[in-house]
Amino acid sequence: MTDAEALRDARAALAATAARLETAGIAPDQLATSVGARRVLGVIPRSATMRRTGEGWRLGVLITTREGDAWAPATTVRATRQQLPGHQAESAQQRRALRLTALSAGFDEGAVVDLDARLLPLDDPEAMCAEVAPLVLRDGVVLVRWMTSAPDSALRPLADYLHEREQLALLTAAGALDTETPAEDGGAAATTESEHPL
């Protein structure tokens, strides 16, 4: 299989996974980009905000869309005014500020927002061959680096990874899991809210 064919198949598999999750009633995350504080017309102050860019389903180290795009997550927050008890650290305060910013940007209470995710170049075989995570293209095969420190010998075929994460998402949505699934990368590749279901 050529690299271009492998990427075409990968996009189809990602889109099919998203379609099945949507059919199962699993709500997508909201994709957004950060917009820094600025002045309009040089004088009117505008606070930092978020701009909505789409929707996608978070599957561990990947986000997939209905169109079969793949995104590498960065920061995930839940839009809420709720203040989690016992957190006094500066990082917790920053995350609370992000939650409130998501609300002020128009996201619904409780919405999961994937902020500043990176779109992977699935239509560019040369660029994908240069990727190191979370998706890599090696000799006509699309593989997943499911943990940032995983060596090439531990890369997983995309189809297997998507199947496993889809089943986990369906079980979680059905209430079959009592505990949260820990972030696979230990927080190295993405900052993930502890309450994120996936």
Side-chain angles (χ1 to χ4, degrees), residues 72-93:
T75 300
T76 302
V77 298
R78 188 178 297 276
T80 183
R81 288 184 177 81
Q82 178 183 4
Q83 185 169 1
L84 300 178
H87 294 293
Q88 302 298 327
E90 181 179 351
S91 61
Q93 295 173 15

Side-chain angles (χ1 to χ4, degrees), residues 90-170:
E90 181 179 351
S91 61
Q93 295 173 15
Q94 292 171 347
R95 295 199 66 76
R96 182 168 191 274
L98 281 177
R99 294 184 186 107
L100 294 174
T101 299
L103 285 175
S104 67
F107 292 99
D108 293 337
E109 175 80 31
V112 176
V113 181
D114 289 305
L115 185 63
D116 298 328
R118 180 175 64 90
L119 180 63
L120 299 176
L122 291 182
D123 295 324
D124 186 340
E126 185 175 346
M128 282 302 300
C129 285
E131 287 285 332
V132 295
L135 289 183
V136 300
L137 179 61
R138 299 286 188 270
D139 300 320
V141 180
V142 178
L143 301 163
V144 179
R145 193 179 305 277
W146 54 273
M147 187 171 64
T148 54
S149 60
D152 282 357
S153 60
L155 297 176
R156 299 191 52 200
L158 176 61
D160 292 350
Y161 181 83
L162 288 177
H163 176 74
E164 177 184 284
R165 298 304 304 198
E166 179 184 339
Q167 295 307 305
L168 179 60
L170 294 171

